Amino acid sequence: MEPEGKVTISDGGGMQRPRFGSRFLTDASHVFQHNAWDHVEWTPAQEEDARRKVEEQAEEKLSVELQELYDDEASEFWNGFYKIHENRFFKDRNWLFTEFPELLGGGISHNIGVSCEAGFDRTAVPKEPLERLSGQNEFPERSDFPGSHTTLRIMEVGCGVGNTVFPILQTNSDREVFIYCCDFSSAAVDLVKAHPDYDPKRCHAFVHDLCTDKSYPMAGGSLDIIILIFVLSSINPDKRMTVLGFFFWFFCCTRVLAAVKRLTQLLRPGGLLLFRDYGRYDMAQLRFKKGRCIADNFYARGDGTRVYFFLPEEAANMFSQAGLVQEQHLVDRRLQVNRGRQVTMYRVWIQSKFRKPLCPPHSSDDHRLHVNSSISNSHGGTCTESANR
């Protein structure tokens, strides 16, 4: 029996999927009645055991030579992954339409924006691209880029073989929706372009390393939505770089923050960034053996690809420092169940929605003022959500 107040949403194919936070395990004897449970509260013993495992992993770091190899040849390790697995490893992410209904059918909306004042003034964002703010964007003026004549423009960074892109294209039959998708791996992008649903009139796939200053194929301030699903975790969190600021001054920041700042410049005022990635103490982190740790909470898998596990405040601060305003920021503590094998798996993911304000902040302090410190978690917290959730 489902709990009262269950919220469901169609995935576009007639199926009704429960939204996160609608299925609770109230009786431990019923754990194998469903495939997953939301907001699962960890016991103090579980938390302590997870902390201890992570500390033990960090006792034995990879050699400096191997760390440099994994960093220098990162794209080749991902190429190797996709050449082996092709499009068979990941399933299509139809859950996106449940957690991010902005992507569902006609749900991609321009009618919600963040005003220049603190808080969330639901002011209208015009359908035509707004004039970019002077001095706010280093990208050149362009009008002939792919998708420039469409009304709604979405970009997925770290697209893999298209498990996000093609469900969005299939669900949104409106030809005015154009999707850009890029990946570090040329093998992955080749697989996207070979997909039978790939249509250059509706989609533009390209190889891109978001940690470089290589230009994107679209104009600055032209995107409505940017999707970052399990991609920022693949970047070395400790690597730092010098980047060009809005007014031609230079500053040093982490590779991840520099990448997010550049992506923010591609969003139009009122544009939305959707984020989902690994959280601290996720099952995938606790499964690593000694000798796979590169740095604290950053690991190399057996195939040479790498993964970082975020704290919720790390992610929130990163997007805040990039000038974005929080609309949703939650910790998805989920208990997944293999009913056939009678196995339980504790997953921890960070899920967020951050919006680009209609006016630039006056200082870095303003970024923090716009970030709601309330973070949803398994211990009964709350989250700030957009009006259509």
Side-chain angles (χ1 to χ4, degrees):
M1 180 176 178
E2 297 294 340
E4 292 184 1
K6 174 182 175 183
V7 180
T8 60
I9 185 168
S10 170
D11 66 359
M15 294 181 63
Q16 297 291 318
R17 298 173 177 267
R19 282 187 182 173
F20 168 69
S22 62
R23 179 177 289 157
F24 302 94
L25 179 62
T26 57
D27 185 339
S29 65
H30 296 164
V31 66
F32 293 109
Q33 288 187 2
H34 293 287
N35 291 329
W37 301 92
D38 300 326
H39 285 312
V40 176
E41 185 171 351
W42 285 31
T43 66
Q46 280 180 294
E47 293 274 3
E48 176 60 25
D49 184 56
R51 184 192 62 79
R52 179 182 52 80
K53 286 181 179 178
V54 169
E55 287 183 351
E56 291 176 353
Q57 292 167 348
E59 290 175 357
E60 186 178 335
K61 299 285 201 308
L62 283 170
S63 67
V64 174
E65 291 76 18
L66 278 177
Q67 292 185 35
E68 291 177 349
L69 173 67
Y70 289 138
D71 204 55
D72 295 341
E73 302 296 331
S75 62
E76 290 307 311
F77 284 114
W78 279 109
N79 278 335
F81 173 88
Y82 287 113
K83 287 176 181 177
I84 292 172
H85 298 288
E86 295 185 332
N87 60 357
R88 300 183 298 269
F89 192 84
F90 300 110
K91 295 181 179 179
D92 282 350
R93 292 168 172 162
N94 292 305
W95 56 263
L96 276 173
F97 306 114
T98 301
E99 302 301 334
F100 299 124
E102 294 87 351
L103 299 174
L104 179 63
I108 303 174
S109 176
H110 287 266
N111 62 2
I112 296 178
V114 179
S115 75
C116 304
E117 303 298 326
F120 301 105
D121 181 3
R122 266 60 179 172
T123 53
V125 178
K127 280 199 170 186
E128 292 304 315
L130 298 176
E131 181 179 353
R132 290 191 289 110
L133 299 167
S134 175
Q136 192 187 8
N137 204 309
E138 69 181 56
F139 293 88
E141 295 282 354
R142 321 178 45 171
S143 60
D144 59 347
F145 55 92
S148 59
H149 300 297
T150 55
T151 304
L152 296 167
R153 293 182 284 273
I154 305 169
M155 180 169 74
E156 185 192 13
V157 180
C159 64
V161 298
N163 299 105
T164 294
V165 170
F166 294 114
I168 294 175
L169 286 174
Q170 292 159 4
T171 302
N172 293 279
S173 58
D174 185 351
R175 291 272 172 176
E176 290 302 301
V177 176
F178 193 91
I179 300 182
Y180 308 88
C181 55
C182 63
D183 201 279
F184 199 26
S185 165
S186 58
V189 173
D190 287 343
L191 288 167
V192 169
K193 291 182 176 180
H195 193 285
D197 290 339
Y198 182 76
D199 181 356
K201 294 180 180 178
R202 302 189 63 206
C203 182
H204 179 70
F206 58 100
V207 177
H208 190 85
D209 179 356
L210 77 164
C211 292
T212 68
D213 58 2
K214 180 181 177 181
S215 64
Y216 288 87
M218 72 290 295
S222 65
L223 296 179
D224 299 284
I225 297 177
I226 292 176
I227 304 171
L228 294 171
I229 305 291
F230 299 108
V231 60
L232 295 185
S233 55
S234 66
I235 301 173
N236 189 331
D238 293 328
K239 285 288 185 179
R240 306 187 75 81
M241 62 186 297
T242 301
V243 295
L244 181 65
F246 291 148
F247 298 102
F248 304 103
W249 45 272
F250 292 87
F251 62 97
C252 184
C253 61
T254 66
R255 221 185 248 183
V256 183
L257 178 56
V260 173
K261 284 177 177 284
R262 285 182 59 80
L263 289 172
T264 298
Q265 294 180 52
L266 294 172
L267 279 174
R268 66 192 297 165
L272 191 64
L273 186 147
L274 306 178
F275 172 78
R276 187 173 174 87
D277 221 317
Y278 296 103
R280 192 67 51 84
Y281 301 156
D282 177 58
M283 176 192 73
Q285 180 177 18
L286 301 183
R287 281 184 171 180
F288 277 104
K289 305 298 183 183
K290 282 187 177 182
R292 304 307 305 174
C293 187
I294 298 173
D296 289 348
N297 306 295
F298 188 50
Y299 304 82
R301 301 184 181 97
D303 58 11
T305 62
R306 301 171 299 171
V307 60
Y308 180 75
F309 296 86
F310 288 95
L311 286 173
E313 54 267 30
E314 287 178 327
N317 289 337
M318 173 175 59
F319 295 121
S320 170
Q321 289 179 53
L324 300 175
V325 178
Q326 176 183 312
E327 287 199 357
Q328 179 200 72
H329 190 56
L330 57 85
V331 181
D332 181 347
R333 290 182 180 266
R334 192 168 302 195
L335 175 59
Q336 293 184 332
V337 174
N338 185 320
R339 290 190 276 179
R341 296 169 54 200
Q342 298 284 287
V343 172
T344 57
M345 298 164 284
Y346 289 86
R347 306 310 306 266
V348 183
W349 298 303
I350 310 297
Q351 181 170 304
S352 312
K353 300 178 187 179
F354 281 79
R355 196 175 291 274
K356 185 173 182 176
L358 297 180
C359 294
H362 298 295
S363 71
S364 59
D365 289 339
D366 290 341
H367 297 173
R368 290 188 289 275
L369 288 174
H370 287 300
V371 176
N372 191 312
S373 61
S374 173
I375 299 173
S376 173
N377 55 47
S378 62
H379 303 291
T382 60
C383 62
T384 303
E385 296 191 357
S386 57
N388 58 357
R389 278 284 302 235

